[in-house]
Amino acid sequence: SRMTNPFKPTAGATPPLLVGRNRVIEEFLESLDDGPGAPGLLELITGARGVGKTVMLTALGDSARERGWVVVDETAREGLMDRLAAEFTRQLSLTSLSLSTPLGGGSATLEHAPAPEPSWRQKARALTQWLAEHGTGLLLTIDEVHAIPREELRALSTEVQHLIREGAPIGLLMAGLPKAVEELLNDDITTFLRRAERIELGEVAIDDVCEALKSTFDTGAKALNNDLAQECANATGGYPFMIQLVGYQVW
């Protein structure tokens, strides 16, 4: 049977090759194991367009899911906090928790006013407490972070910071273009975000590209000899999007 082309040269598609990125993933997994407050649970991923920021966010999210964490993937645009709150409510409905009486107490009778809708923090706290009891946590991944309205980013930072201080198992991974992220951090929007680990994704070493191309072709029973693999690797310039494109065309 003919193996389908393993290369995916479309923006945001998860390619089979996270070439040269294993260290980032391994360090993130260590942070998941270390639990609340681990530095890798607050990360800002930057790099040029096509360097694989979205792919990296997806890979980190997938690795957290494999550990049983609840992962909420979002792209930065207006209404972010509301969408997150709605997702927390949905996740809570999958657990045995009831948020209708967040502070305990009996069920409301008709002559009492209905309980107010729980706040963002109450929902997030209830969800992370439940996850902590089950040995996991909540990971938020936000792509194109520079596009978030400032007040939403400020609100998100404030809420996540509170949860971290309370020892909640929560992680926040964000990705954006370097210049835009720099502007955000210089904007006095939040000192909290300046404490995030910075991961700047750059070009991949040509030797790593060469090895990855060879092994991908081998897996598909299409041998790529050393000279051709080297020529292909050189042509990519170590640029992840080009690795996909060259691989796809040569395949």
Side-chain angles (χ1 to χ4, degrees):
S1 69
R2 207 171 141 273
M3 182 175 161
T4 56
N5 193 322
F7 296 93
K8 295 185 172 65
T10 52
T14 306
L17 302 179
L18 274 159
V19 187
R21 307 297 197 215
N22 292 349
R23 188 186 55 78
V24 175
I25 295 172
E26 282 160 17
E27 286 177 1
F28 173 68
L29 289 175
E30 277 175 28
S31 290
L32 287 183
D33 291 341
D34 292 344
L41 292 179
L42 180 61
E43 283 184 3
L44 263 172
I45 300 168
T46 63
R49 288 193 190 281
V51 85
K53 296 183 296 296
T54 301
V55 168
M56 177 55 78
L57 266 191
T58 304
L60 295 175
D62 287 347
S63 61
R65 275 191 191 91
E66 283 163 21
R67 301 266 172 129
W69 279 53
V70 165
V71 180
V72 181
D73 300 306
E74 265 294 347
T75 299
R77 22 175 236 290
E78 205 149 341
L80 174 74
M81 293 296 281
D82 290 344
R83 290 195 305 279
L84 288 172
E87 182 57 22
F88 298 163
T89 301
R90 195 182 76 80
Q91 291 291 343
L92 282 163
S93 71
L94 302 176
T95 72
S96 52
L97 287 172
S98 161
L99 260 180
S100 55
T101 51
L103 305 175
S107 57
T109 54
L110 286 179
E111 59 267 25
H112 286 95
E117 167 77 359
S119 68
W120 198 100
R121 193 176 303 175
Q122 283 171 323
K123 290 176 182 179
R125 188 183 281 139
L127 181 56
T128 51
Q129 279 174 354
W130 188 88
L131 292 167
E133 284 160 21
H134 292 78
T136 66
L138 172 66
L139 180 68
L140 310 178
T141 79
I142 316 285
D143 204 359
E144 295 172 25
V145 69
H146 51 273
I148 303 186
R150 295 296 161 95
E151 62 280 7
E152 293 227 31
L153 187 58
R154 198 172 274 118
L156 179 64
S157 300
T158 303
E159 296 295 356
V160 170
Q161 184 170 16
H162 264 284
L163 291 161
I164 290 173
R165 279 193 190 137
E166 290 172 7
I170 187 166
L172 177 61
L173 308 182
M174 294 174 283
L177 294 169
K179 187 169 177 292
V181 168
E182 280 307 317
E183 282 170 9
L184 270 186
L185 297 184
N186 292 337
D187 196 28
D188 273 351
I189 186 159
T190 164
T191 48
F192 168 69
L193 285 187
R194 283 193 210 126
R195 293 206 293 274
E197 295 246 303
R198 305 289 282 283
I199 294 175
E200 184 136 2
L201 296 181
E203 291 153 10
V204 178
I206 298 296
D207 287 352
D208 289 347
V209 176
C210 193
E211 285 308 311
L213 288 170
K214 277 201 305 206
S215 64
T216 305
F217 274 81
D218 282 349
T219 307
K222 292 185 182 217
L224 198 61
N225 70 41
N226 288 347
D227 289 350
L228 192 51
Q230 189 65 54
E231 198 181 330
C232 290
N234 292 343
T236 69
Y239 189 58
F241 189 79
M242 288 297 290
I243 299 172
Q244 299 304 326
L245 196 57
V246 171
Y248 185 86
Q249 298 293 355
V250 173
W251 180 276

